[in-house]
Amino acid sequence: MSHQGNKRDIEVTGTIMKIAVFVSGNGSNLQALIDAREKDGLAGGEITLVVSDHADAYAVKRARQAGIPVFVHEAAGSSSREEYDTAISRKLKESGIELIVLAGFMRILGDGLVEEYKWRMMNIHPSLLPSFKGTHGIRDAFEYGVKVTGVTVHFVEKELDAGPVILQTPVMIGEDDTLETLEKKIHEEEHRLYPRAVQLFIDGKLDVRGRKVRIRE
Ligand code: GRF
């Protein structure tokens, strides 16, 4: 992995890259990443930690079923965002985490943590960014009446849903689509796209140049 203006290059040769997946809810993207291993995906990487801000999230159950250590950190236990992030940062360091994969994590992380993991933290968003940012990307696109929406995987920066785009795929909205059928199509696409983006990172194929992410062949 190399990138302009940031010297924290990661040497993965001969080692397994340790990945933390952050979740809050259903965890279908976490599941897709777990399942990718069975199809020889995530070669050279391993999900060694799942972080959740909700103890009862279904994603936590999925992680436990897969035998992945879970760090549940609910906001109620912290007096401030700094304290919340510091506890997470400590846990990530202890666990030797090199890549953070946000997969439906609903809490906004502070600038410190985002900076610490600059170009080593990615997120998936259910629209073609920069359209339809925010919590309801699928519904907003559907209600707007666009004919094409999609899925975006991007690096995380301080501004929400605005970091450099790693991968994007379009999803067509047909006349017969309902919000439910569109959600299904978007999630299916997410489950294909996220493991691919993570694999590109593990393979050191992503170069960030300003706003552009170049994928090295
Ligand atoms: C996904 O649609 C993702 O794009 C968004 O949150 C949702 C998480 O779904 N950021 P799941 O918890 O992975 O099923």
Side-chain angles (χ1 to χ4, degrees), residues 1-210:
M1 168 83 184
S2 66
H3 31 70
Q4 261 187 359
N6 191 320
K7 294 278 174 249
R8 286 175 297 199
D9 286 3
I10 298 163
E11 183 55 67
V12 290
T13 323
T15 61
I16 296 293
M17 183 180 289
K18 292 184 175 162
I19 302 167
V21 181
F22 283 42
V23 295
S24 295
N26 178 26
S28 67
N29 280 285
L30 167 66
Q31 192 66 54
L33 292 163
I34 292 170
D35 293 347
R37 282 188 303 195
E38 276 151 38
K39 299 169 215 145
D40 296 326
L42 304 201
E46 198 175 341
I47 304 167
T48 51
L49 185 68
V50 166
V51 175
S52 175
D53 61 344
H54 285 102
D56 55 1
Y58 189 62
V60 168
K61 210 170 181 183
R62 294 183 195 264
R64 295 213 165 108
Q65 262 162 11
I68 302 168
V70 181
F71 179 55
V72 173
H73 189 32
E74 296 197 326
S78 306
S79 60
S80 66
R81 175 178 290 182
E82 284 72 40
E83 202 192 308
Y84 184 90
D85 283 7
T86 303
I88 289 192
S89 172
R90 200 180 310 125
K91 182 70 188 175
L92 295 172
K93 283 205 188 87
E94 256 171 45
S95 313
I97 297 301
E98 293 152 289
L99 170 67
I100 296 177
V101 175
L102 303 182
F105 187 64
M106 297 308 285
R107 205 180 148 80
I108 295 169
L109 294 167
D111 294 352
L113 197 58
V114 170
E115 188 57 35
E116 202 178 321
Y117 278 84
K118 190 167 187 186
W119 312 146
R120 295 192 292 143
M121 188 189 300
M122 52 173 81
N123 182 43
I124 190 158
H125 185 80
S127 76
L128 291 178
L129 289 174
S131 291
F132 308 112
K133 294 179 178 181
T135 334
H136 302 292
I138 306 177
R139 193 187 68 196
D140 292 347
F142 184 74
E143 284 176 358
Y144 191 93
V146 292
K147 310 275 186 197
V148 185
T149 181
V151 175
T152 305
V153 178
H154 63 93
F155 281 115
V156 174
E157 284 200 305
K158 290 173 195 170
E159 198 190 326
L160 213 59
D161 298 333
V165 171
I166 301 169
L167 291 177
Q168 267 183 325
T169 350
V171 171
M172 304 302 289
I173 305 180
E175 306 239 320
D176 296 336
D177 270 315
T178 60
L179 180 56
E180 290 67 38
T181 61
L182 179 61
E183 280 170 347
K184 189 164 178 287
K185 286 203 272 188
I186 293 276
H187 292 312
E188 282 169 4
E189 199 48 57
E190 287 186 332
H191 302 159
R192 274 192 286 272
L193 205 64
Y194 222 1
R196 267 179 59 206
V198 173
Q199 187 69 62
L200 287 169
F201 184 93
I202 294 169
D203 294 342
K205 288 190 174 166
L206 302 177
D207 269 333
V208 185
R209 307 252 167 114

